[in-house]
Amino acid sequence: MPKSIVRGAMTGMARNARTLFRDQPGRHALCSVAVFFSLLCFPPEGFSQEEPKSKPVTTIDQAKADVKNLANATLAYRTEYNRLPLQTIHTDETKALASEGKLMEILLGLDLRLNPRQVIFFEGTTQADGKRKKVSGSTALDPWNHVYRLQFDWNSDGKVDDPEHPGKSISAVVLVYSAGPDRDFSTWADNITSWK
């Protein structure tokens, strides 16, 4: 039972006690205290004083969070420097970059040439030895120990080639996706994407 309902019930009981003992000063306060303690000792059926336990984070949830965070990191970089990371080097929007090497060095604030202010744009997590930990090197891995892929709007037309449906495009600046539990980018049924 929600705490607000219990609180309302306690207030109502105390009000009734004051009315019942109106002509007997001091007794309504005693009765209110008794009602309060009886509710603490014997809560109404279905009411639990324990806080609900949070749902455990699954590997799918973690991958979904990481693809969103990588996309947001890229957008934050563009806001900071008025260009996409590696925009001066790449032009082919059909080719995806892996979440490793130079790209991640930029987003992690390790590349002083392309991120001279050393802003840390991405603070995701990676799977290592079966345990979750902060990204510490220049590679961001999904929960299945595989790199993410990123595709960018290099020509600034507001569209990126759809990796799932070649020849089509998606309105976005960056697309980030994981190969999913099967670690195969070509099987889209289990891939985790930033745009869906």
Side-chain angles (χ1 to χ4, degrees), residues 84-187:
L84 289 169
L86 302 174
Q87 187 161 5
T88 56
I89 300 169
H90 296 280
T91 56
D92 187 351
E93 293 187 5
T94 62
K95 290 188 178 175
L97 299 180
S99 57
E100 62 186 356
K102 183 62 78 177
L103 174 63
M104 291 311 298
E105 287 172 9
I106 293 168
L107 296 179
L108 293 167
L110 304 174
D111 186 313
L112 299 180
R113 191 174 65 79
L114 295 174
N115 185 352
R117 297 177 194 132
Q118 294 182 283
V119 178
I120 299 172
F121 295 102
F122 180 71
E123 291 186 7
T125 53
T126 187
Q127 187 85 8
D129 301 326
K131 296 180 181 177
R132 302 298 294 176
K133 70 174 187 177
K134 288 277 186 187
V135 174
S136 57
S138 58
T139 302
L141 299 174
D142 67 15
W144 304 281
N145 280 329
H146 204 284
V147 294
Y148 293 97
R149 283 188 179 170
L150 298 88
Q151 283 183 228
F152 297 91
D153 175 21
W154 299 124
N155 64 9
S156 303
D157 66 353
K159 294 182 281 187
V160 181
D161 284 16
D162 186 340
E164 184 178 3
H165 304 102
K168 295 185 178 180
S169 60
I170 297 170
S171 295
V173 173
V174 60
L175 303 178
V176 185
Y177 50 104
S178 160
D182 70 358
R183 298 179 177 89
D184 184 350
F185 282 107
S186 66
T187 56

Side-chain angles (χ1 to χ4, degrees), residues 61-77 104 107 120-125 132 134 140 148 150 174 176 193-194:
D61 293 333
Q62 186 59 57
K64 285 180 179 178
D66 282 349
V67 295
K68 297 284 186 192
N69 289 339
L70 276 167
N72 289 335
T74 301
L75 296 175
Y77 179 89
M104 291 311 298
L107 296 179
I120 299 172
F121 295 102
F122 180 71
E123 291 186 7
T125 53
R132 302 298 294 176
K134 288 277 186 187
Y148 293 97
L150 298 88
V174 60
V176 185
T193 66
S194 63

